[in-house]
Amino acid sequence: MPKIIDHDQRRREIVAVAKKLIIQGGFEAATMRSIVAEAGFANGALKRYFPSKDSIVAATFQSVLAEMNERIGESDPSPDPKAALRHDVEATLPLDRYRIDSARVLLALWEHSVANEELATLYREHLREWRRRLAARIAQARGKGEPADAPAVTDLAGEVITTTIGANVTSLMFPDGALIPEYRSYVDRLMRNIAD
């Protein structure tokens, strides 16, 4: 009887290998040859799942963004608007080894996406959705009856996104997590000042 292969599972395994290689050695380390070797596939078997490195990169980029969205959506946030906002902000900051590694992968793929309009569009859409969700959370947490598109709300959403992206970039220079206390302090300050 022929062996049954779960092709979706194989694709997930390949993406996991690509992430691992990027974490260890940057974007250049995730070559088709290194992915095949690390995944334990025969030469040519990888093309059955991904026809090119670009297709693996696209799947890896989508995977990292999906994981970020899953972290934000993990467990139903508290009905308290401030607790729900804190949850969403902390979900996007590099507050543990896993998120620091995810930042390394995402940043390696950002550079690649500059020359790939499909990936750039995917990331721009992610940013728009992130800003929309964050603005809604901020408006609720401020408790002033403001709409999510009020200037004070959108300014705060932009600040959080810019700070988060900066924290993810900076965390690459401190992969031991030395800056985690600083990031937690930022969240505490944000939550104290959210109603101003």
Side-chain angles (χ1 to χ4, degrees), residues 150-178:
V153 172
T154 57
D155 286 351
L156 274 170
E159 174 196 313
V160 171
I161 289 171
T162 300
T163 301
T164 299
I165 291 171
N168 278 286
V169 172
T170 307
S171 74
L172 303 187
M173 296 299 108
F174 298 89
D176 61 350

Side-chain angles (χ1 to χ4, degrees), residues 22 24 27 33 35 48 72 79 123 133 151 154 157 163 166-167 195:
I22 291 170
Q24 291 172 344
F27 181 76
R33 182 171 293 177
I35 292 169
R48 187 177 311 146
I72 291 172
Y123 192 68
R133 178 186 172 109
T154 57
T163 301

